[in-house]
Amino acid sequence: MTPAHRSPEDHPAAVLIAPDIIALLEENPGDIQTETEELHPADLADVAELLPFDKVVPFLLALPPARAADLLEYLNEDLRTEVFEALDPEAAAVLIEQMTPDDRTDVLEELDEEHAGEILDEVGDETRRETEQLLRFDPQTAGGLMTTEFVSVPANTTVEEALERVRALAREGRREAMYAVYATDEEGRLVGVLSLRELLAAPPGGVLGDAAWTEVVNVLPSADREEVARVTANYGLVAVPVVSESGHIMGVVTVDDVIDVIQEEQTEDVQKMGGMEALDESYMEAGVGAMVRKRAGWLSVLFIGGLLTATAIHHFESELEKAILLLAFIPLIISSGGNSGSQATSLIIRAMALGEVKLADWWRVAFRELRSGLLLGAILGTLGVVRVVVWHMAGWNDYGEHFWFVGLTIGAALLGVVTFGSFVGAMLPFILRRLGLDPASASAPFVATLVDVTGLLIYFSVALLILRGRLL
Amino acid sequence: MTPAHRSPEDHPAAVLIAPDIIALLEENPGDIQTETEELHPADLADVAELLPFDKVVPFLLALPPARAADLLEYLNEDLRTEVFEALDPEAAAVLIEQMTPDDRTDVLEELDEEHAGEILDEVGDETRRETEQLLRFDPQTAGGLMTTEFVSVPANTTVEEALERVRALAREGRREAMYAVYATDEEGRLVGVLSLRELLAAPPGGVLGDAAWTEVVNVLPSADREEVARVTANYGLVAVPVVSESGHIMGVVTVDDVIDVIQEEQTEDVQKMGGMEALDESYMEAGVGAMVRKRAGWLSVLFIGGLLTATAIHHFESELEKAILLLAFIPLIISSGGNSGSQATSLIIRAMALGEVKLADWWRVAFRELRSGLLLGAILGTLGVVRVVVWHMAGWNDYGEHFWFVGLTIGAALLGVVTFGSFVGAMLPFILRRLGLDPASASAPFVATLVDVTGLLIYFSVALLILRGRLL
């Protein structure tokens, strides 16, 4: 997983170092390793992102493969893909071999199949087998997120032996997900977990199985990545074991990948809520063409939905001609409905994303929103009456002899539209979810368009009811 | 920090256990400890949340204080506050003493000052001093998030000594943030960091300072919690040291708290983007009254802004009376502007939250959005012309002899409004940020209202330009 893109402004160190690296690449590439020795791999990745593209590969090759692999874990995903496309399969294989299994999979998924195959042919048998297995999982699931490096030992191992095992693996430089040690039974099924801290605290003579927690929070490999994020957040974990139906531990999802998932999901939700398809890349990196494509679809759909407002108004044109003053309030009334709907939708989408509200809660939410909608509608309705009556009495607008009824019409329409907007806005995410769609697709513009059309109908009906025989 | 609220449906175990607990509390409270021994504290908290309130305190008191403290870390924040309000100061102090320093602070901040003071009087001197110090930090900053439990040793300590120190602390049952060991110089300043894995891998005879990384990613105690989250995500950390200006390590922010921060910030952003104040509590727990208050303010402000649309239409009423058919397109045109603006706003707010877009990028964004807006406007404008001309030719609507000009008016108005909407939607978050406000306040409803008024002016101006002498 690639972390969020970091701008050079945030990293003056990288900005300062990049020119030195360019000079060293020309004159003395051998010094690059010592020059960058103390940099965090994330900063090393920043340096790489600041270099001209033709210097990135030489820079990587000037680093020891393990450091280069560390750098690649933090590198911008697009740049990383370009780097691997530029490398010959042998050099790529050396780096791939050094990466963690989950990052390895992430890299290969982005490459075209042929090139990925060529690289896999060059890596060792064990790595290849393991990688091919991981590539079979959907990247949106726990299986697609997990690393296969973790420490598991039989439950009857002594604490001291388990600790020695951990130390030996750590010394080999293998970067296992070393936050916890998992205990297995004779059939290799997961039966316990002990954090590294608890392992260090456990009585040395004891057996792992006695010290371990037997209720292990875990997820299935097929679990959606949002579910993985929820479990990690709720239990405050740094690593979640991925366990097969048969009870065998297959891998571990680590918290850094979970944070990436949370942020990516959130970006998708925000973009959908803004009434567009998820962009899937950072704003500045997306081309204008790609961006217009992601936006034009929804915008056109909303436009076509909006056409119904024209039809509705055409339908009432003869009444409106008699009372052209009613016109002036159309945008105000339908926007108020859209705004209250957008509030309700945002509340429910977020509550669903956090798991605070379930599908089964729909009727409780409906009831809440009806009450909130009525209250909010009463507030705006009062403001509407005040607008008409005060403006009329002050002589700023002339609403005729029936101005009290005009005010009442505006007020009642607002009460109806705002109540309806809150209700529809709150129910829409439930309907989408029930249909198996993403509730976040219930964007503010979507709700607004839906409420625009019905809002007009409510307004005109109220007007006919109150003003017939007076103005209409 | 309290994790997101978990519903009983997610935790059938808790649902099954809760009735047993109620029975045991009546008959044999002594068995509760063994009965719940293997439960994860998060599940234990679920059980507590399912009990009637008058059973929660007896349940907590039936557990060993350390387990009860664990449970309290995961308990719903409001319930936790109620529990502490119900406990007498002595019993509360026993639990507080067992909690981690950061959770201790979270609990006391929620209580009224007098009760918090009474509890603090009952805890040990060291805990009290430490807690009072933490309470001085703004909860929105690194200082407010950090725990003061961490392992730091002089840099000249041997690896084996450091490991022994860690094991001794772990055995004391102190739940330090034990993901890393921090190395300090003679003046106690932070000079190095070694993860627990690296400590286990380090050559036993070596000195900590030689094995440690000397470039330690850290934050100031005054750093905003969003900054802490960004650093944690970018560097893939499980703990960030909080370091004073003078270079002394004051505490550590752990990744579980960072995940809570990310989720809370996202909830706030989504709610603001939906056009309301952040709710600060979960949807189902917020009272209807509180919710209406958070929503009515913005809704009224938007309503008052929307009043300008009525004024604008009144202003053009005499023209509209001559060409009442123009009316029908008002909602369509202004919504299209609002929708494209809402897309642009969502994109920019999210890109800002992730640090992809900085204040200084405003002109690049402006240029991008002008281009996107023109393209999107051209697409919708074409659809608009088609709507008028085709409907007219098919005989579904009658737009008169000048129907081509009417079509052109609608098309040109859409081009203008959509371009303007995209531009304004993208610039608004920059303006808010420049003014020191939260860019997420640029909600879809806010943008829509802004674009409604200007959209009407654009529409009517275009109509006057194209149709004067024909219809107007």
Side-chain angles (χ1 to χ4, degrees):
Chain A
M1 288 272 120
T2 304
H5 177 72
R6 280 149 288 128
S7 317
E9 297 99 280
D10 293 338
H11 295 272
V15 177
L16 291 175
I17 293 162
D20 293 350
I21 298 293
I22 296 176
L24 280 176
L25 279 171
E26 309 263 313
E27 294 150 25
N28 206 350
D31 282 1
I32 287 180
Q33 175 178 352
T34 46
E35 196 67 19
T36 59
E37 212 165 45
E38 279 296 331
L39 283 185
H40 190 284
D43 292 325
L44 215 47
D46 281 337
V47 172
E49 286 170 18
L50 288 171
L51 296 178
F53 182 69
D54 64 325
K55 303 279 183 222
V56 177
V57 170
F59 174 49
L60 276 172
L61 298 177
L63 295 169
R67 279 291 274 175
D70 282 346
L71 181 163
L72 286 166
E73 286 186 31
Y74 290 92
L75 198 65
N76 171 287
E77 221 166 290
D78 292 334
L79 181 55
R80 189 169 67 180
T81 305
E82 285 174 53
V83 164
F84 273 96
E85 279 164 356
L87 283 169
D88 59 76
E90 293 77 25
V94 171
L95 293 174
I96 283 281
E97 193 90 57
Q98 294 285 335
M99 296 179 83
T100 57
D102 53 338
D103 283 308
R104 223 178 259 158
T105 321
D106 289 342
V107 167
L108 293 172
E109 257 154 8
E110 294 295 320
L111 298 177
D112 67 68
E113 227 166 292
E114 201 194 317
H115 191 55
E118 283 168 11
I119 296 174
L120 270 181
D121 287 341
E122 299 292 329
V123 302
D125 283 348
E126 200 193 331
T127 307
R128 188 174 60 244
R129 227 180 9 255
E130 189 182 65
T131 309
E132 280 169 349
Q133 202 184 322
L134 281 179
L135 280 169
R136 257 176 254 137
F137 292 103
D138 178 349
Q140 303 290 315
T141 63
L145 285 173
M146 71 186 182
T147 177
T148 47
E149 290 191 336
F150 54 87
V151 185
S152 87
V153 288
N156 58 14
T157 313
T158 67
V159 167
E160 212 55 36
E161 276 168 12
L163 194 55
E164 264 322 303
R165 174 81 195 277
V166 169
R167 292 189 81 161
L169 284 170
R171 286 208 188 99
E172 281 175 31
R174 289 176 61 186
R175 290 159 307 165
E176 328 282 297
M178 230 175 251
Y179 304 121
V181 175
Y182 300 98
T184 53
D185 67 9
E186 311 83 62
E187 266 105 67
R189 285 181 303 235
L190 179 64
V191 291
V193 64
L194 210 62
S195 73
L196 213 44
R197 173 178 70 75
E198 289 161 339
L199 181 67
L200 288 168
V207 161
L208 198 66
D210 295 338
W213 296 90
T214 56
E215 302 256 338
V216 189
V217 177
N218 65 77
V219 292
L220 284 172
S222 59
D224 188 87
R225 61 181 200 160
E226 287 190 70
E227 160 76 7
V228 179
R230 219 162 6 235
V231 167
T232 309
N234 287 349
Y235 287 92
L237 303 174
V238 287
V240 195
V242 180
V243 175
S244 69
E245 300 269 6
S246 61
H248 292 81
I249 177 164
M250 305 171 70
V252 164
V253 180
T254 52
V255 71
D256 52 327
D257 291 339
V258 168
I259 289 183
D260 289 338
V261 166
I262 292 175
Q263 292 194 323
E264 283 172 24
E265 290 286 338
Q266 175 61 7
T267 301
E268 278 181 31
D269 279 5
V270 166
Q271 290 173 354
K272 286 184 188 165
M273 288 174 67
M276 57 177 296
E277 286 175 57
L279 205 53
D280 293 335
E281 49 191 327
S282 86
Y283 175 77
M284 281 304 202
E285 279 159 26
V288 168
M291 209 162 59
V292 168
R293 270 194 303 280
K294 299 272 186 184
R295 289 162 71 170
W298 259 113
L299 220 47
S300 303
V301 168
L302 294 170
F303 182 85
I304 290 164
L307 284 177
L308 288 173
T309 56
T311 308
I313 295 178
H314 277 315
H315 189 74
F316 287 92
E317 221 155 57
S318 59
E319 278 85 4
L320 282 170
E321 240 168 319
K322 279 185 259 166
I324 194 135
L325 57 90
L326 288 182
L327 256 186
F329 295 96
I330 289 178
L332 184 62
I333 288 172
I334 62 181
S335 303
S336 298
N339 292 345
S340 58
S342 147
Q343 291 183 336
T345 295
S346 311
L347 278 169
I348 300 304
I349 289 175
R350 189 59 191 159
M352 279 187 173
L354 290 176
E356 291 171 4
V357 164
K358 308 266 155 218
L359 209 45
D361 294 323
W362 73 267
W363 60 272
R364 269 190 288 171
V365 170
F367 187 61
R368 281 177 76 92
E369 284 304 313
L370 277 177
R371 281 189 297 163
S372 304
L374 280 169
L375 272 167
L376 293 168
I379 294 170
L380 295 196
T382 309
L383 289 176
V385 174
V386 167
R387 165 66 176 79
V388 171
V389 172
V390 170
W391 262 241
H392 179 84
M393 288 188 161
W396 298 326
N397 284 127
D398 180 11
Y399 294 113
E401 53 169 332
H402 299 298
F403 70 92
W404 271 109
F405 289 97
V406 173
L408 192 63
T409 303
I410 306 300
L414 280 167
L415 176 66
V417 169
V418 169
T419 307
F420 181 79
S422 302
F423 180 75
V424 169
M427 290 298 103
L428 201 58
F430 285 99
I431 295 170
L432 290 173
R433 188 161 200 178
R434 187 69 192 78
L435 296 174
L437 301 170
D438 186 344
S441 308
S443 58
F446 184 11
V447 174
T449 302
L450 212 67
V451 175
D452 276 358
V453 182
T454 41
L456 281 173
L457 298 179
I458 293 174
Y459 180 31
F460 296 148
S461 309
V462 169
L464 280 178
L465 208 70
I466 297 182
L467 297 177
R468 195 191 298 273
R470 294 194 177 87
L471 288 174
L472 301 175
Chain B
M1 289 272 119
T2 302
H5 177 72
R6 280 148 287 124
S7 315
E9 297 99 281
D10 293 338
H11 295 272
V15 177
L16 290 174
I17 293 163
D20 292 352
I21 298 294
I22 296 176
L24 281 176
L25 280 171
E26 310 264 312
E27 293 151 26
N28 205 349
D31 281 0
I32 286 180
Q33 174 178 352
T34 46
E35 196 67 21
T36 59
E37 209 166 45
E38 279 298 330
L39 283 185
H40 189 283
D43 292 324
L44 215 48
D46 280 336
V47 172
E49 286 170 18
L50 288 171
L51 296 178
F53 182 69
D54 64 325
K55 303 280 182 218
V56 178
V57 170
F59 175 48
L60 276 171
L61 298 177
L63 294 170
R67 281 288 275 174
D70 281 346
L71 182 162
L72 287 166
E73 287 188 30
Y74 290 90
L75 198 65
N76 172 287
E77 221 166 291
D78 292 333
L79 181 54
R80 188 169 67 182
T81 305
E82 285 173 51
V83 165
F84 274 96
E85 279 162 356
L87 283 169
D88 59 78
E90 292 76 26
V94 171
L95 294 174
I96 282 281
E97 192 91 56
Q98 292 285 334
M99 296 180 82
T100 57
D102 52 339
D103 282 308
R104 222 178 261 157
T105 322
D106 289 343
V107 167
L108 293 173
E109 257 154 8
E110 293 296 319
L111 297 178
D112 67 68
E113 226 164 296
E114 199 194 318
H115 192 55
E118 282 169 11
I119 297 175
L120 270 180
D121 287 341
E122 299 292 330
V123 301
D125 283 348
E126 201 193 331
T127 307
R128 189 175 58 244
R129 228 181 7 253
E130 190 181 66
T131 308
E132 281 169 348
Q133 202 183 325
L134 281 179
L135 280 169
R136 257 176 252 136
F137 292 102
D138 177 349
Q140 303 291 315
T141 63
L145 286 172
M146 72 187 181
T147 175
T148 45
E149 290 191 336
F150 55 87
V151 184
S152 86
V153 287
N156 58 12
T157 313
T158 67
V159 167
E160 213 54 38
E161 277 168 13
L163 194 56
E164 263 323 303
R165 173 81 194 277
V166 168
R167 293 189 80 163
L169 284 170
R171 286 210 189 97
E172 281 175 30
R174 290 178 56 188
R175 292 157 306 164
E176 329 282 299
M178 229 176 252
Y179 303 121
V181 175
Y182 301 97
T184 53
D185 66 9
E186 312 82 61
E187 266 104 65
R189 287 180 302 233
L190 178 64
V191 292
V193 63
L194 211 61
S195 74
L196 212 45
R197 174 179 69 73
E198 289 162 339
L199 181 67
L200 288 167
V207 161
L208 198 66
D210 295 338
W213 295 91
T214 55
E215 303 257 337
V216 189
V217 177
N218 66 77
V219 291
L220 285 171
S222 58
D224 188 86
R225 61 182 201 159
E226 287 191 71
E227 160 77 6
V228 178
R230 218 163 5 236
V231 167
T232 309
N234 288 348
Y235 287 93
L237 303 173
V238 286
V240 197
V242 180
V243 175
S244 69
E245 301 268 6
S246 61
H248 292 81
I249 178 164
M250 304 172 70
V252 165
V253 180
T254 53
V255 71
D256 53 324
D257 291 339
V258 168
I259 289 183
D260 289 339
V261 167
I262 291 175
Q263 291 193 324
E264 284 172 23
E265 290 286 339
Q266 288 175 350
T267 301
E268 277 182 32
D269 278 6
V270 166
Q271 290 173 353
K272 285 185 189 164
M273 288 174 67
M276 58 179 293
E277 285 174 59
L279 205 53
D280 294 333
E281 50 190 327
S282 86
Y283 175 78
M284 281 306 203
E285 279 159 26
V288 168
M291 209 162 61
V292 167
R293 270 193 302 279
K294 299 271 186 183
R295 289 162 70 169
W298 259 113
L299 221 47
S300 303
V301 169
L302 294 170
F303 182 87
I304 290 164
L307 284 177
L308 288 173
T309 57
T311 308
I313 296 179
H314 277 316
H315 189 74
F316 286 92
E317 222 154 55
S318 59
E319 280 84 6
L320 282 169
E321 239 167 322
K322 279 185 260 167
I324 194 136
L325 56 90
L326 288 182
L327 256 185
F329 295 96
I330 289 178
L332 185 62
I333 288 172
I334 62 180
S335 304
S336 298
N339 293 345
S340 58
S342 145
Q343 290 184 337
T345 295
S346 311
L347 278 171
I348 301 302
I349 289 174
R350 189 60 191 158
M352 279 187 173
L354 290 176
E356 291 170 3
V357 164
K358 308 265 155 221
L359 209 45
D361 293 324
W362 72 269
W363 60 273
R364 271 190 287 170
V365 170
F367 186 61
R368 281 177 76 92
E369 283 304 313
L370 277 178
R371 282 189 297 162
S372 304
L374 280 169
L375 273 167
L376 293 168
I379 294 171
L380 295 197
T382 309
L383 289 175
V385 175
V386 167
R387 166 66 175 79
V388 171
V389 173
V390 170
W391 262 241
H392 180 83
M393 287 187 162
W396 297 327
N397 283 126
D398 179 11
Y399 294 113
E401 52 169 333
H402 298 300
F403 70 93
W404 271 108
F405 289 97
V406 174
L408 193 63
T409 303
I410 306 300
L414 281 166
L415 177 66
V417 170
V418 169
T419 307
F420 181 78
S422 302
F423 179 76
V424 169
M427 290 299 101
L428 200 58
F430 285 98
I431 295 169
L432 290 172
R433 187 157 200 178
R434 186 71 191 75
L435 297 174
L437 301 170
D438 186 344
S441 308
S443 59
F446 184 12
V447 174
T449 301
L450 213 67
V451 176
D452 276 359
V453 182
T454 41
L456 279 174
L457 297 180
I458 293 174
Y459 180 32
F460 295 148
S461 308
V462 169
L464 281 177
L465 209 69
I466 298 181
L467 297 176
R468 194 191 296 274
R470 296 192 176 89
L471 288 174
L472 301 174

